[in-house]
Amino acid sequence: MNIGENVERVRERIQSACRRSGRAGEEVRLVAVSKTKPAEAIRQAYAVGLREFGENRVQEAAAKLQELEDLDAVWHLIGHLQSNKAELACRLFDWIHSVDSLHLAEKIDREAAALGRKMPILIEVHLGEEESKFGVEEDDLGRMAERIAALPALELRGLMTLPPFFDDPENARPFFRRLRKLAERMGVRNLPGVQMRELSMGMSHDFEVAIEEGATTVRVGTAIFGERQR
Ligand SMILES: *Cc1c(COP(=O)(O)O)cnc(C)c1O
């Protein structure tokens, strides 16, 4: 498995999805999801030009980031965050995609303020039917966004979702479309200081469909780093 070739192929897929949907390739941010993969794999992806990486666990990221201090990379937290790890998350990460409760948002706000920084965040929206998945319910989104907009150390930049897994990625399309519509509806509300521009959606097997539906950030692991062991 060659990470350089994989990245090349993913970039080509992004470009052709952009062409098909009349978008510019630079509009789509590629976050390489390096969870469970060693620091060495991240270096290989960095060497072929990737600068943005996604991790889903704070502890795992802490160990890797120490090994990778010399890289000029942007780190995205994409997995569920427990509020007792918010402080460490604020030290390590540049973006948090997985804000799924007001309680967590308030915790991140306090920790970011204590560090003298602002944290760009996305609200994770739960669009599937499954009971167990994380994310804010559609009906609660408006109220939560209003409350978050008032938190001084948070920058609410958009929405993130993780649709149910389908063998045929076409089946994920309605979920991606719904997230975009939600973001548009929120944008119309013009919350002070809020720019709902980012749509973080699409993974290895369905990112082309997500791009066609307006994704600004795709989170791609397997197609870059290969299958995960766990
Ligand atoms: C693991 C993960 C990804 C990447 O999944 P792949 O199928 O390996 O591309 C994207 N988003 C989240 C939230 C993840 O946990």
Side-chain angles (χ1 to χ4, degrees):
M1 202 231 1
N2 182 320
I3 289 176
E5 286 171 13
N6 289 351
V7 169
E8 199 43 49
R9 212 166 305 134
V10 167
R11 283 183 171 140
E12 284 165 13
R13 286 171 60 190
I14 291 174
Q15 291 305 326
S16 51
C18 284
R19 269 197 303 276
R20 273 200 303 281
S21 44
R23 304 182 60 195
E26 315 81 68
E27 281 176 44
V28 178
R29 182 199 311 259
L30 171 58
V31 172
V33 177
S34 45
K35 63 188 186 194
T36 81
K37 299 295 178 182
E40 185 46 41
I42 297 173
R43 283 194 188 278
Q44 287 177 37
Y46 190 89
V48 293
L50 294 195
R51 290 293 177 271
E52 313 222 19
F53 297 93
E55 289 281 336
N56 68 334
R57 291 182 182 190
V58 176
Q59 298 295 352
E60 181 187 334
K64 271 187 237 178
L65 263 70
Q66 218 163 30
E67 284 183 64
L68 296 168
E69 262 173 356
D70 55 309
L71 303 190
D72 182 20
V74 176
W75 297 95
H76 299 255
L77 179 62
I78 61 169
H80 180 66
L81 175 61
Q82 288 170 304
S83 52
N84 63 2
K85 298 211 176 92
E87 187 202 352
L88 186 54
C90 286
R91 289 181 189 281
L92 298 174
F93 289 97
D94 301 293
W95 284 77
I96 299 178
H97 292 222
S98 44
V99 175
D100 59 1
S101 74
L102 187 61
H103 173 72
L104 176 62
E106 288 169 343
K107 191 79 188 350
I108 297 169
D109 177 61
R110 281 197 297 277
E111 300 298 352
L115 293 168
R117 62 169 297 193
K118 289 202 169 211
M119 179 63 81
I121 62 143
L122 308 179
I123 298 178
E124 180 172 359
V125 185
H126 177 226
L127 296 175
E129 302 297 315
E130 302 100 302
E131 293 284 332
S132 61
K133 280 259 194 86
F134 297 109
V136 177
E137 297 300 327
E138 244 180 279
D139 291 346
D140 301 331
L141 184 59
R143 203 160 27 112
M144 194 167 137
E146 268 171 34
R147 302 282 293 274
I148 288 179
L151 298 174
L154 297 189
E155 290 175 355
L156 178 52
R157 299 283 190 87
L159 306 177
M160 178 268 222
T161 200
L162 192 70
F165 182 89
F166 298 103
D167 286 328
D168 180 356
E170 270 305 317
N171 293 331
R173 188 181 295 277
F175 293 88
F176 296 142
R177 188 168 296 173
R178 214 148 109 215
L179 195 74
R180 188 189 65 212
K181 293 267 189 266
L182 284 171
E184 285 169 1
R185 222 175 295 153
M186 309 275 314
V188 170
R189 297 166 69 135
N190 261 323
L191 295 171
V194 174
Q195 302 258 345
M196 296 291 277
R197 286 219 185 104
E198 299 289 337
L199 287 174
S200 169
M201 56 190 196
M203 307 171 30
S204 291
H205 77 293
D206 59 12
F207 69 77
E208 284 122 319
V209 177
I211 289 171
E212 288 166 12
E213 294 301 329
T216 62
T217 296
V218 292
R219 310 177 308 263
V220 180
T222 312
I224 291 173
F225 295 110
E227 295 290 336
R228 289 178 292 272
Q229 298 304 311
R230 57 184 161 89

